[in-house]
Amino acid sequence: EKALEGLIAADVEIDHASFSIFEGVRLKGVQVRIIGDDSPYNFVTARRVVLKHNPWGLFLRGRLEPTDIVCIDPVVTIEYDKDQGESNAARLFKNAAAKGRGKSRTVAMKLPSIRIAGGMLRTVVEEGGIRNPPAEESINCSLIPVNETTYEVRVEEPHHDQ
């Protein structure tokens, strides 16, 4: 939990974790809350998360360097505050960037690719201090790193059984 909190600048709770130096980290029952957020919702809740990593990062630099993250059956909550003009996701990335600036790194860590499989996107809009009821929709998507700070989001069309 502490290692993930350091990577993403958020509060993380995990029911169960297993680690393999070459196969990565497997997590069950993951909950991520944005630090200082007063929301009744977690930013992410996932049944399972598989985190592949660069083992050389552990051997040579003593740190976990994720290369691929797969979230299985997650609920991702994006809350947008119209008065502030900012979402909880933007705050999370700002917090992570600010946390990373204070650390000296000889090698910059690359952004991992992220895949959301069987997910639910919950969107909540707050205006005038009133949080509107959430809207929810199924989502499968990938976040592909474009450079050191930017992702391209690729949303997959839902599959309908016939």
Side-chain angles (χ1 to χ4, degrees), residues 4 14 17-20 23-27 49-53 64:
L4 285 177
I14 300 165
S18 62
F19 174 78
S20 166
E23 295 192 21
V25 181
R26 297 184 185 284
L27 309 172
V49 174
V50 178
L51 191 147
K52 301 283 184 177
H53 70 103
L64 186 66

Side-chain angles (χ1 to χ4, degrees), residues 44-48 71-76 116-121 139:
V44 174
T45 301
R47 185 172 57 86
R48 289 189 310 143
C71 298
I72 301 161
D73 297 334
V75 176
V76 179
I116 295 175
M120 179 71 64
L121 176 63
I139 187 168

Side-chain angles (χ1 to χ4, degrees), residues 6-58:
L7 286 172
I8 62 173
D11 291 324
V12 178
E13 289 184 29
I14 300 165
D15 291 340
H16 177 76
S18 62
F19 174 78
S20 166
I21 191 72
F22 295 108
E23 295 192 21
V25 181
R26 297 184 185 284
L27 309 172
K28 290 183 181 177
V30 177
Q31 297 180 49
V32 178
R33 290 196 62 80
I34 297 173
I35 296 169
D37 199 346
D38 66 350
S39 173
Y41 304 105
N42 290 323
F43 178 62
V44 174
T45 301
R47 185 172 57 86
R48 289 189 310 143
V49 174
V50 178
L51 191 147
K52 301 283 184 177
H53 70 103
N54 172 8
W56 292 109
L58 284 173

Side-chain angles (χ1 to χ4, degrees), residues 44-97:
V44 174
T45 301
R47 185 172 57 86
R48 289 189 310 143
V49 174
V50 178
L51 191 147
K52 301 283 184 177
H53 70 103
N54 172 8
W56 292 109
L58 284 173
F59 292 139
L60 300 176
R61 291 176 285 284
R63 69 176 187 216
L64 186 66
E65 296 178 359
T67 57
D68 299 289
I69 300 171
V70 178
C71 298
I72 301 161
D73 297 334
V75 176
V76 179
T77 302
I78 302 296
E79 295 188 64
Y80 182 74
D81 185 328
K82 280 190 170 182
D83 300 328
Q84 299 293 321
E86 186 174 65
S87 71
N88 59 345
R91 284 194 308 278
L92 176 71
F93 291 124
K94 281 183 187 177
N95 291 347

